[in-house]
Amino acid sequence: METIKFKIDTKSFDKSQFEEAAYILKALSNEIRLSVIALLTNVEERTVTEMMEIIKCEQSLLSYHLTDMRAKGILGMRKSGKNCYYSIKNHRVVEMLSCVVNCEK
């Protein structure tokens, strides 16, 4: 097994960046949540119904995850009539997901 190496500049070591990364990783540690971020990455916003159809999960389960991610500052939401439109509020999650998905093996 190959060891992955990366450098940390000890002169400018900032523990808060690791705290933020851990917070985001914990908040996204679910396949539905990761799917939501992936769906919202290249569009401005999507409705709950659109996401339900693509992810193929129940509305109650998706709403639970959307509400939690919104409470954690990851997603934004606006209402228009009967529809709720979700968008990415914290774009660091896209960067982190991209790094994880596209990392070399």
Side-chain angles (χ1 to χ4, degrees):
M1 186 170 157
E2 186 178 325
T3 304
I4 298 172
K5 297 179 183 179
F6 60 95
K7 280 186 135 184
I8 297 174
D9 182 2
T10 56
K11 292 178 184 172
S12 62
F13 186 83
D14 183 5
K15 184 179 174 186
S16 67
Q17 66 187 346
F18 294 113
E19 290 169 349
E20 179 187 12
Y23 180 80
I24 291 171
L25 289 169
K26 284 179 194 175
L28 296 178
S29 64
N30 177 282
E31 64 188 60
I32 292 172
R33 293 172 188 226
L34 292 171
S35 297
V36 166
I37 297 303
L39 287 175
L40 294 173
T41 296
N42 295 316
V43 296
E44 191 169 321
E45 58 188 13
R46 286 191 190 266
T47 66
V48 175
T49 304
E50 290 172 327
M51 290 187 278
M52 274 178 29
E53 291 172 358
I54 297 168
I55 297 173
K56 297 189 182 357
C57 81
E58 294 180 21
Q59 187 269 333
S60 59
L61 180 60
L62 181 58
S63 290
Y64 166 79
H65 288 294
L66 293 171
T67 299
D68 190 63
M69 292 193 316
R70 188 170 157 228
K72 291 178 176 167
I74 294 170
L75 298 179
M77 190 266 296
R78 73 172 180 87
K79 282 190 172 193
S80 179
K82 293 182 180 181
N83 290 318
C84 292
Y85 292 86
Y86 283 87
S87 60
I88 294 175
K89 185 175 180 180
N90 181 344
H91 289 277
R92 297 244 347 190
V93 297
V94 175
E95 295 170 24
M96 291 179 73
L97 181 58
S98 178
C99 289
V100 170
V101 170
N102 296 314
C103 72
E104 294 195 24
K105 296 178 181 179

